[in-house]
């Protein structure tokens, strides 16, 4: 349903003629709104919540922007179109409140119809961005989780992503979903200019092409979707936005590797819903192992049983740590890979060059390779061979 906020009564039949009778349009207008709080206007008009709100024509620019901004805060999934003279101020303001569609009042009917249709299909995509087809997918979405902080999630996620990318360059995206304190960028010496926060702001109008603008390329061909640069930006990211973004990434990349913050927050749950595989990571210390057992129990309780679980013990084999068999017994899972403690890991983290690349012979790098091998397919290497042969000719 389209909500039309304009004093122009005649615009409703005009718009209806453009979009067809199948799309319901409701016009709301109250002259008192011009001086009302934008949030009150949203509350008074968005009942029921529309799929799209069209503000204008003949709504002053500053009011239109305030209302569009208020819709963004109250109903971030509602697509927004402003119909007003496209002054530089309006376009700049629209960008700040995440409005992608701005059309001048004298635009052609086709122009307006196309803008509305883009918003309608984006809204439909947001609604259907469900992980329902996980079982049929051939690509892998791998979420890295640990119950305790500092277990090595970021080290594992970055090395895994780079390792997979070496088998199939350009087809891997690393997503930093540790939205408050994500550090995948610095671990790989990247400083994303665009981040998850920018992508989230535009989530309702993104498509596979426009989403790429928000990814930061690594020289290896790997792509990173970096974390927000401020805690305020992080707090404004909704799970619906993350779903829409993951839904698109899954359609673009063969491998999506997702780093998370410790424990299970809403974004980790969203990410697990999209995942084919989970890497459950703990260290060989009692609190970490116990917390991992509780985390596994929680996944069972909330029904997150579909993604394949790969249990990984980090900093394994230290003299003071627990024995692997004891850890496995406590957690109730067999370890797929054990990563030894290595000074090389710390050095490579500090240098921004993950160990799988900087010191491939280091025992920890070899374990990372073992982990990578759990996910690569023969097709990946076949395409690599083909490229190599082409390169030699
Ligand atoms: N196998 C290892 N050997 C030596 N040091 C390691 C190993 N794994 C991780 N580290 C070091 O431990 C620290 C924490 O690792 P990392 O940042 O990957 O953990 P994390 O689980 O992502 O933490 P957070 O929960 O804070 O995001 C880093 O300094 C890293 O270099
Ligand atoms: Mg981390």
């Amino acid at each position: 349903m389209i909500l039309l906020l304009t004093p122009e009564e005649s615009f409703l039949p005009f718009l209806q003629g453009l979009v067809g009778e199948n799309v319901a349009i409701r016009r709301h207008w109250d002259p008192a709104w011009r001086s009302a709080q934008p949030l009150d206007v949203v509350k008074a008009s968005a009942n029921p919540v529309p799929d799209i709100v069209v503000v204008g024509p003949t709504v002053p620019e500053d009011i239109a922007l305030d209302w569009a901004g208020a819709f963004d805060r109250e109903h971030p999934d509602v697509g927004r179109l402003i119909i007003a003279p496209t002054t530089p101020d309006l376009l700049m303001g629209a960008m700040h409140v995440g409005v992608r569609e701005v059309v001048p009042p004298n635009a052609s009917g086709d122009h307006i119809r196309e803008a509305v249709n883009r918003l309608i299909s984006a809204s439909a995509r947001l609604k259907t961005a469900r992980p329902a087809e996980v079982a049929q997918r051939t690509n892998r979405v791998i979420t890295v989780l640990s119950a305790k902080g500092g277990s090595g999630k970021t080290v594992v996620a970055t090395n895994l992503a780079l390792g997979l990318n070496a088998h199939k360059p350009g087809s891997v995206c690393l997503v930093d979903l540790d939205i408050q304190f994500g550090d995948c960028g610095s671990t790989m010496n990247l400083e994303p200019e665009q981040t998850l926060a920018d992508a989230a702001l535009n989530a309702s109008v993104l498509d596979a092409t426009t989403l790429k603008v928000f990814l930061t390329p690594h020289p290896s061909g790997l792509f990173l979707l970096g974390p927000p640069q401020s805690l305020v930006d992080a707090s404004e990211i909704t799970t619906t936005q993350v779903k829409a973004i993951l839904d698109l990434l899954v359609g673009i990349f063969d491998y999506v590797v997702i780093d998370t913050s410790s424990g299970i927050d809403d974004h980790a749950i969203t990410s697990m819903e999209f995942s084919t595989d989970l890497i459950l990571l703990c260290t060989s210390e009692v609190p970490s192992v116990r917390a991992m057992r509780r985390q596994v129990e929680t996944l069972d309780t909330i029904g997150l049983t579909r993604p394949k679980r790969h249990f990984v013990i980090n900093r394994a084999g230290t003299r003071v740590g627990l024995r692997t068999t004891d850890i496995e017994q406590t957690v109730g899972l067999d370890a797929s890979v054990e990563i030894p403690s290595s000074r090389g890991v710390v050095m490579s983290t500090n240098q921004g060059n993950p160990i799988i690349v900087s010191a491939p012979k280091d025992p920890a790098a070899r374990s990372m390779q073992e982990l990578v091998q759990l996910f690569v397919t023969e097709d990946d290497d076949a395409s690599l061979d083909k490229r190599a042969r082409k390169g030699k000719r």
Side-chain angles (χ1 to χ4, degrees):
M1 188 263 292
I2 300 178
L3 171 65
L4 183 55
L5 301 179
T6 176
E8 300 291 325
E9 279 177 38
S10 62
F11 195 72
L12 192 152
F14 173 69
L15 187 61
Q16 193 78 70
L18 291 177
V19 297
E21 291 299 325
N22 289 338
V23 182
I25 308 180
R26 207 160 41 86
R27 188 182 75 89
H28 261 236
W29 184 255
D30 182 339
W33 283 352
R34 287 177 189 273
S35 51
Q37 288 296 324
L39 224 49
D40 291 337
V41 174
V42 172
K43 282 182 185 145
S45 61
N47 192 14
V49 178
D51 300 304
I52 295 173
V53 60
V54 177
V55 186
T58 61
V59 176
E61 174 177 312
D62 50 343
I63 294 181
L65 286 172
D66 283 349
W67 291 0
F71 261 95
D72 184 42
R73 287 191 296 280
E74 277 298 283
H75 304 293
D77 305 329
V78 172
R80 287 154 293 151
L81 164 65
I82 294 178
I83 300 185
T86 47
T87 63
D89 279 352
L90 177 71
L91 294 177
M92 190 61 82
M95 213 175 72
H96 284 142
V97 293
V99 173
R100 285 294 282 271
E101 301 292 349
V102 180
V103 170
N106 57 356
S108 68
D110 281 351
H111 190 160
I112 297 175
R113 183 178 35 239
E114 280 162 19
V116 170
N117 283 343
R118 276 195 296 273
L119 289 176
I120 290 178
S121 44
S123 148
R125 212 192 50 236
L126 268 181
K127 281 189 186 153
T128 54
R130 301 272 178 275
E133 320 86 46
V134 168
Q136 294 115 44
R137 289 208 310 260
T138 52
N139 52 2
R140 309 287 281 263
V141 180
I142 308 161
T143 298
V144 184
L145 297 156
S146 77
K148 289 272 184 193
S151 308
K153 292 180 294 299
T154 302
V155 164
V156 166
T158 46
N159 279 284
L160 173 63
L162 279 169
L164 289 170
N165 186 69
H167 286 270
K168 207 165 186 190
S171 57
V172 184
C173 183
L174 173 62
V175 181
D176 198 336
L177 259 195
D178 181 357
I179 61 164
Q180 287 194 322
F181 300 110
D183 50 2
C184 287
S186 65
T187 308
M188 293 195 300
N189 205 12
L190 288 179
E191 274 188 40
E193 282 176 16
Q194 302 282 338
T195 71
L196 180 65
D198 306 296
L201 203 59
N202 295 284
S204 61
V205 289
L206 283 179
D207 58 26
T209 312
T210 46
L211 176 58
K212 284 191 179 157
V213 172
F214 300 99
L215 306 180
T216 307
H218 183 264
S220 65
L222 172 72
F223 288 91
L224 169 70
L225 181 54
Q229 278 162 356
S230 80
L231 294 186
V232 176
D233 288 350
S235 68
E236 285 172 358
I237 296 175
T238 69
T239 50
T240 312
Q241 292 166 337
V242 172
K243 273 185 191 171
I245 290 166
L246 290 181
D247 194 47
L248 284 173
L249 287 176
V250 166
I252 304 172
F253 292 97
D254 291 338
Y255 295 99
V256 179
V257 178
I258 304 166
D259 188 16
T260 61
S261 55
S262 33
I264 307 178
D265 65 4
D266 285 350
H267 295 305
I269 290 180
T270 304
S271 146
M272 283 191 272
E273 286 172 351
F274 274 85
S275 292
T276 52
D277 301 85
L278 307 182
I279 292 180
L280 300 167
L281 191 65
C282 80
T283 59
S284 56
E285 291 142 2
V286 173
S288 180
V289 174
R290 285 199 177 143
M292 177 49 73
R293 186 182 60 194
R294 284 209 301 278
Q295 184 158 18
V296 171
E297 286 167 359
T298 307
L299 295 184
D300 291 339
T301 310
I302 60 179
L304 270 164
T305 50
R306 192 170 45 183
K308 190 166 178 201
R309 297 175 185 176
H310 309 269
F311 181 38
V312 176
I313 304 172
N314 190 18
R315 299 171 183 269
T318 46
R319 266 177 282 150
V320 287
L322 296 171
R323 285 187 316 167
T324 300
T325 45
D326 295 335
I327 298 173
E328 290 176 329
Q329 217 170 12
T330 308
V331 174
L333 291 170
D334 288 343
S336 306
V337 177
E338 295 179 47
I339 304 168
S341 199
S342 157
R343 264 184 348 127
V345 173
V346 182
M347 275 161 55
S348 64
T349 305
N350 290 339
Q351 287 163 0
N353 194 8
I355 195 158
I356 202 163
V357 178
S358 59
K361 293 201 172 126
D362 185 287
R366 289 186 195 275
S367 300
M368 299 294 182
Q369 278 297 358
E370 258 181 73
L371 189 61
V372 171
Q373 287 304 327
L374 297 179
F375 302 103
V376 287
T377 64
E378 285 175 9
D379 281 358
D380 294 347
D381 288 331
S383 67
L384 198 65
D385 285 351
K386 236 190 225 164
R387 284 185 204 202
R389 279 201 299 275
K390 261 192 192 162
K392 274 185 195 153
R393 260 182 243 143

